[in-house]
Amino acid sequence: MDKLKKVILGIVLLISSYGMVGMPIHPDDYINLVNKKSYKADVIIYGGTSSAVIAAVQVKKMGKSVILVSPDKHLGGLSSSGLGYTDTGNKAVIGGLSREFYHRIYKYYTQDKSWKWQERDDYGNQGQGTPAIDGENRTMWIFEPHIAEQVFEDLIKEYGIILHREELLDRQNGVEIDHEKIKSFTTLSGSTYKAKVFIDGTYEGDLMAAAGINYHIGRESNETYNEEWNGVQKDIFHHKHNFMDYKISPYKDPKNPLSGLVQGVSEVGPGENGTGDKKVQAYNFRLCLTQVKENLIPFYKPDRYNKNDYELLARLYEAGWNETFNKFDPIPNLKTDTNNHGPFSTDYIGANYEYPDASYERRAEIIKDHENYQQGLLYFMVTDERIPAPIQKEFKKWGYAKDEFEDNNYWPHQIYVREARRMLGKYVMTEHDILGHRKVPKPIGMGSYTMDSHNVQRYITAEGYVQNEGDIGIKAKEPYQIAYGAITPKENECTNLLVPLALSSSHIAFGSIRMEPVFMILGQSAATAAVLAIKEGQPVQEINYENLKNELKKGGQVLSK
């Protein structure tokens, strides 16, 4: 009977879609029409990030229906994919469901079973300048990837959130717009999602872009928003992620410029300081490593490996550089959150410029290139004769954690998309907001982290040496407010979409806002605004701010110092 129903349904759909004019019908068209599914909720959230999950929880807490449509299999984005050494800034301004996440992390680590490879009392408890475990406030800021993912899964289960995994938005033709409102979006599987309000919970801003909303990629010039720290920043070295005075040749034959450039060096100059470009700060994977033999997978050779890709690192060692283990930050159970550090490290500089606007297929290629580069780097460290013997001996003690990312060859699920598209919304956050130079209208949360940009390009200096450019770190003097207008499009573009991650911000301001605790804060605020827009029958831009502020405070958000 079910088979007969499908046949009848297929005929009806084919007639309604094609008419009776004898148009040729491909067998795939029949299958797609039969399998099409339509879903409806008050709020539809596209994304599987920490922000997306928190947004879904907030909608449910406020009594509205929600569907979380995740392009990913695993939930939590970077928070559950290696970034366990949390970039917190001032913890006092992390409130609401964001703080609840870190409280739930704390509760997991009060259980003896969570300490498999290390005694709790032996854990160093060192976070970024503060204790990792805050017993007084019952929060924990440093954690293992699988614990974070479990917390997100717990939230989905406890709040009964409908979750559709591995549903990729049809970015070409999948968004239906009517009078500046998104009516629905369709995924590549053929599923359609209808809602009153939508939230783009992706790092890339895919739903925002597919809805035709204007956005920016790359660095604005300093002139654009009258900033100091945007644009090209040649010879500005705020961290130690540059070649300093080592005078490393960029040429294959160090003494012969005609021999060609080694891998990773651009033949194009960096541009004039303060000018804008379309280049994107470097991505990498945050690595979870261990020295516990029973829980260790040795560094393996990647699918594509060429030791010449790491020539600059070999030359650095020969020149005397030795800071190999400076960013092996400890997390519980004798593991690390290993990040980029130094002139040549896990950041794959210059390899991601296409990523923000790229097709899914091209993005997959870029991600695979990063994977090969980073796995190859680790393999190079333990196998190549040019690595100094003491460093190689120590490096061989490390490997991938066997109990993390088990379904992905012990490799993180999510690449660190530090920056992609940024919406040109109703209000643009700039360095003036981060540094407290102007009053922020209608605040919906706070940030406090340094304006932090990783390197953008690697080039040849006028003296003929290799150098990196784009590594900036400007501290916020005190916590700052984030404007509601930064997560809303302009009214003439879309009136029922909120964008808490690919929000409206200059490149350098985004360098502070882009931290995972802040993304969760903004996810909760976006969800609160979405529900109020429904209740008030208003475009998201025109909801009553006093109502929004009151609801945010009720939800534990911190809106002022």
Side-chain angles (χ1 to χ4, degrees):
M1 187 65 184
D2 287 342
K3 187 175 181 181
L4 178 60
K5 285 182 179 178
K6 283 189 175 182
V7 171
I8 294 170
L9 174 62
I11 293 170
V12 171
L13 288 169
L14 285 170
I15 291 172
S16 63
S17 179
Y18 292 98
M20 299 292 288
V21 293
M23 292 178 65
I25 299 172
H26 192 278
D28 287 346
D29 294 329
Y30 169 77
I31 294 170
N32 289 336
L33 286 166
V34 168
N35 291 334
K36 272 189 177 179
K37 296 179 180 179
S38 181
Y39 302 92
K40 188 175 182 180
D42 293 317
V43 180
I44 301 287
I45 301 165
Y46 180 64
T49 60
S50 61
S51 183
V53 175
I54 292 300
V57 170
Q58 180 64 13
V59 173
K60 215 52 191 307
K61 283 171 69 74
M62 294 183 72
K64 292 297 181 182
S65 61
V66 62
I67 300 175
L68 182 59
V69 183
S70 174
D72 310 303
K73 176 181 178 182
H74 295 272
L75 295 177
L78 261 297
S79 285
S80 59
S81 205
L83 206 167
Y85 198 75
T86 305
D87 302 309
T88 51
N90 188 326
K91 297 178 179 66
V93 299
I94 301 172
L97 290 172
S98 184
R99 179 167 285 265
E100 170 69 14
F101 169 79
Y102 296 104
H103 170 61
R104 286 172 176 252
I105 294 288
Y106 172 87
K107 289 202 296 184
Y108 263 101
Y109 283 107
T110 61
Q111 303 173 30
D112 290 341
K113 66 180 181 180
S114 295
W115 297 91
K116 183 176 181 180
W117 306 109
Q118 170 181 42
E119 295 294 329
R120 178 189 170 102
D121 291 343
D122 294 335
Y123 176 58
N125 199 30
Q126 181 61 47
Q128 293 208 40
T130 57
I133 305 174
D134 183 349
E136 180 180 353
N137 294 296
R138 295 175 58 80
T139 52
M140 187 161 176
W141 307 93
I142 312 296
F143 47 84
E144 299 161 275
H146 76 275
I147 294 291
E149 185 171 2
Q150 188 58 56
V151 170
F152 291 118
E153 292 289 348
D154 292 345
L155 289 167
I156 293 296
K157 183 177 180 180
E158 288 176 29
Y159 284 91
I161 294 166
I162 299 171
L163 167 63
H164 294 183
R165 302 179 197 261
E166 297 182 277
E167 286 283 358
L168 288 167
L169 173 69
D170 180 350
R171 291 160 53 195
Q172 301 301 316
N173 305 298
V175 180
E176 182 185 359
I177 306 285
D178 183 26
H179 293 90
E180 291 77 48
K181 289 184 70 174
I182 300 175
K183 303 297 288 185
S184 67
F185 70 76
T186 302
T187 59
L188 295 181
S189 73
S191 295
T192 297
Y193 297 88
K194 300 177 181 180
K196 297 171 184 175
V197 179
F198 294 82
I199 296 175
D200 186 334
T202 66
Y203 293 120
E204 296 85 358
D206 279 347
L207 179 57
M208 177 266 295
I213 294 165
N214 285 307
Y215 57 88
H216 188 84
I217 296 173
R219 300 181 286 187
E220 299 91 349
S221 71
N222 275 330
E223 291 182 352
T224 304
Y225 299 116
N226 192 29
E227 295 176 297
E228 180 180 359
W229 298 109
N230 211 331
V232 174
Q233 299 287 332
K234 184 178 64 173
D235 300 326
I236 304 296
F237 306 126
H238 287 165
H239 301 107
K240 300 180 72 175
H241 309 316
N242 64 84
F243 285 85
M244 296 169 273
D245 296 323
Y246 283 112
K247 298 182 178 180
I248 304 298
S249 172
Y251 304 110
K252 292 179 180 178
D253 178 346
K255 296 181 180 180
N256 181 11
L258 298 179
S259 62
L261 297 174
V262 298
Q263 170 65 24
V265 181
S266 174
E267 61 184 13
V268 180
E272 294 299 317
N273 275 11
T275 58
D277 57 29
K278 296 298 183 182
K279 298 171 182 175
V280 181
Q281 63 173 303
Y283 298 170
N284 72 344
F285 288 90
R286 298 288 284 253
L287 301 177
C288 190
L289 307 180
T290 186
Q291 289 184 310
V292 178
K293 291 182 180 179
E294 298 86 347
N295 193 38
L296 184 150
I297 299 293
F299 297 127
Y300 46 78
K301 191 176 183 179
D303 294 334
R304 183 200 64 77
Y305 175 72
N306 184 347
K307 69 178 184 177
N308 293 328
D309 291 349
Y310 312 102
E311 176 66 21
L312 289 176
L313 180 59
R315 293 181 186 183
L316 270 170
Y317 281 126
E318 290 168 358
W321 182 80
N322 185 14
E323 297 181 17
T324 305
F325 303 100
N326 280 32
K327 282 301 292 177
F328 280 47
D329 293 318
I331 62 175
N333 282 309
L334 299 175
K335 300 175 188 176
T336 72
D337 170 355
T338 297
N339 195 13
N340 180 81
H341 178 76
F344 190 100
S345 184
T346 59
D347 277 2
Y348 196 9
I349 299 172
N352 61 340
Y353 300 160
E354 293 178 64
Y355 182 89
D357 263 341
S359 66
Y360 292 128
E361 293 77 14
R362 179 63 185 131
R363 282 184 186 167
E365 292 172 353
I366 293 169
I367 291 169
K368 186 63 177 177
D369 285 345
H370 280 72
E371 191 175 299
N372 281 326
Y373 165 80
Q374 217 164 323
Q375 291 175 359
L377 173 64
L378 302 177
Y379 185 75
F380 180 80
M381 293 292 296
V382 296
T383 61
D384 198 271
E385 66 279 0
R386 295 180 67 184
I387 301 300
I391 293 171
Q392 189 167 84
K393 181 180 179 181
E394 180 65 23
F395 215 92
K396 285 182 177 180
K397 297 177 183 178
W398 292 91
Y400 304 115
K402 188 185 295 185
D403 58 354
E404 301 288 353
F405 317 121
E406 296 177 60
D407 65 345
N408 197 42
N409 208 15
Y410 316 103
W411 191 257
H413 307 118
Q414 172 70 54
I415 193 170
Y416 196 168
V417 180
R418 288 191 173 94
E419 188 173 346
R421 302 183 182 98
R422 301 189 310 281
M423 178 173 66
L424 292 169
K426 190 172 176 65
Y427 184 89
V428 181
M429 294 287 294
T430 72
E431 69 179 43
H432 303 294
D433 301 294
I434 310 302
L435 299 176
H437 295 163
R438 67 181 179 183
K439 184 175 176 59
V440 174
K442 299 180 179 180
I444 55 169
M446 300 189 74
S448 63
Y449 201 77
T450 297
M451 289 191 293
D452 179 45
S453 173
H454 281 234
N455 279 305
V456 176
Q457 56 190 331
R458 180 173 286 143
Y459 68 99
I460 308 168
T461 67
E463 295 76 27
Y465 302 117
V466 66
Q467 191 51 274
N468 298 336
E469 183 276 324
D471 182 48
I472 302 296
I474 305 295
K475 289 186 177 180
K477 297 176 183 178
E478 55 186 359
Y480 59 88
Q481 298 172 317
I482 300 170
Y484 177 54
I487 69 169
T488 64
K490 295 174 182 176
E491 292 95 331
N492 64 346
E493 292 187 329
C494 188
T495 60
N496 69 334
L497 175 68
L498 293 145
V499 186
L501 278 78
L503 78 167
S504 182
S505 167
S506 71
H507 155 73
I508 195 60
F510 191 77
S512 173
I513 297 169
R514 65 180 177 83
M515 304 305 156
E516 289 289 296
V518 178
F519 279 159
M520 285 189 265
I521 289 169
L522 296 178
Q524 180 178 352
S525 296
T528 305
V531 172
L532 288 179
I534 294 169
K535 289 182 176 179
E536 296 176 9
Q538 294 287 350
V540 295
Q541 295 86 354
E542 296 180 19
I543 62 173
N544 184 300
Y545 176 68
E546 287 302 312
N547 291 343
L548 176 59
K549 181 171 70 173
N550 290 336
E551 285 291 341
L552 293 177
K553 288 183 176 180
K554 188 190 301 183
Q557 295 282 48
V558 180
L559 303 183
S560 62
K561 300 185 292 292

